[in-house]
Amino acid sequence: GQNIDQPTEMTATEGAIVQINCTYQTSGFNGLFWYQQHAGEAPTFLSYNVLDGLEEKGRFSSFLSRSKGYSYLLLKELQMKDSASYLCAVRGLLNQGGKLIFGQGTELSVKP
Amino acid sequence: DGGITQSPKYLFRKEGQNVTLSCEQNLNHDAMYWYRQDPGQGLRLIYYSQIVNDFQKGDIAEGYSVSREKKESFPLTVTSAQKNPTAFYLCASTDFGTGSGNTIYFGEGSWLTVV
């Protein structure tokens, strides 16, 4: 089966750096995704990792360690508009149906 | 432009009534998914389909049904057996190929309310 854990909520200050962790257990792995979601809206894509290491994209970076079942999303130079829910998702293997499971989401509040 | 279209955006259901949410994609994606989201919660998987005429139950399939007669379409029916259907429903698709396989595309979502 698959299981994903993220902290429920975090608070950070404008201009600072915040790291949101995600741990997962899965019987087959075919990629980990990070999404941002504002209340009442569809999630928007932030990053994708399928190999170990760090992927950087502007103010956002995502790290993956497959052996540890661990990922984090790093947000730099926080802005007020970054206040949102951040979702970690793991995709299973194609030959196992390609199941795509999301964590409960981490509600990030950015304070002035 | 390519994308996923969900309809309707808002839907009201009476007790004992079945309702169907539409999901259409023109991205030529093989895999499609339906999720339910309750306030303050994450996305929970209802059903998913990897190929036409085949679909699998997710974690909360009871009270829901789907079909996948065409690659582009994956409608979700919320049946009267679903006792607490009020929620935000999201449809998604992805491609397991190396091209766009690193992104999951979402529809805009459908709000279902029981009246």
Side-chain angles (χ1 to χ4, degrees), chain B residues 91-105:
Chain B
C91 180
S93 73
T94 188
D95 189 345
F96 282 86
T98 56
S100 60
N102 59 351
T103 303
I104 308 164
Y105 290 79

Side-chain angles (χ1 to χ4, degrees), chain B residues 7-108:
Chain B
S7 62
K9 178 71 173 178
Y10 299 96
L11 185 61
F12 298 91
R13 194 195 90 168
K14 295 180 180 179
E15 295 283 349
Q17 192 177 47
N18 292 356
V19 292
T20 297
L21 307 180
S22 170
C23 180
E24 303 277 334
Q25 53 100 359
N26 60 3
L27 300 161
N28 200 34
H29 285 172
D30 290 312
M32 298 186 74
Y33 307 84
W34 273 107
Y35 296 92
R36 168 183 173 140
Q37 188 173 37
D38 294 282
Q41 303 294 316
L43 277 62
R44 291 188 290 166
L45 183 62
I46 304 172
Y47 268 99
Y48 60 110
S49 168
Q50 184 184 319
I51 195 170
V52 174
N53 292 324
D54 187 41
F55 47 83
Q56 311 293 327
K57 291 183 179 180
D59 300 319
I60 55 165
E62 186 174 352
Y64 300 97
S65 67
V66 293
S67 63
R68 188 83 187 277
E69 297 177 1
K70 299 185 298 182
K71 189 175 186 179
E72 305 80 26
S73 179
F74 191 41
L76 174 74
T77 297
V78 184
T79 74
S80 58
Q82 172 50 240
K83 297 308 179 186
N84 185 24
T86 296
F88 185 50
Y89 291 86
L90 282 161
C91 180
S93 73
T94 188
D95 189 345
F96 282 86
T98 56
S100 60
N102 59 351
T103 303
I104 308 164
Y105 290 79
F106 282 93
E108 292 189 352

Side-chain angles (χ1 to χ4, degrees), chain A residues 18-98:
Chain A
V18 69
Q19 177 175 313
I20 303 174
N21 295 325
C22 171
T23 58
Y24 65 90
Q25 289 135 19
T26 180
S27 54
F29 180 82
N30 187 18
L32 185 143
F33 300 80
W34 282 98
Y35 274 75
Q36 180 192 65
Q37 186 182 29
H38 288 99
E41 299 179 5
T44 55
F45 175 76
L46 292 177
S47 70
Y48 168 76
N49 296 72
V50 67
L51 300 176
D52 291 348
L54 186 69
E55 294 281 342
E56 296 185 83
K57 188 184 295 184
R59 294 190 300 116
F60 296 82
S61 303
S62 58
F63 172 83
L64 174 67
S65 169
R66 288 172 296 170
S67 62
K68 295 182 179 178
Y70 169 70
S71 173
Y72 67 73
L73 179 70
L74 194 70
L75 291 77
K76 304 175 185 176
E77 302 170 13
L78 280 173
Q79 302 175 9
M80 298 297 289
K81 68 177 182 179
D82 295 330
S83 292
S85 182
Y86 291 85
L87 308 174
C88 172
V90 173
R91 187 169 62 186
L93 295 174
L94 179 61
N95 60 10
Q96 295 176 357

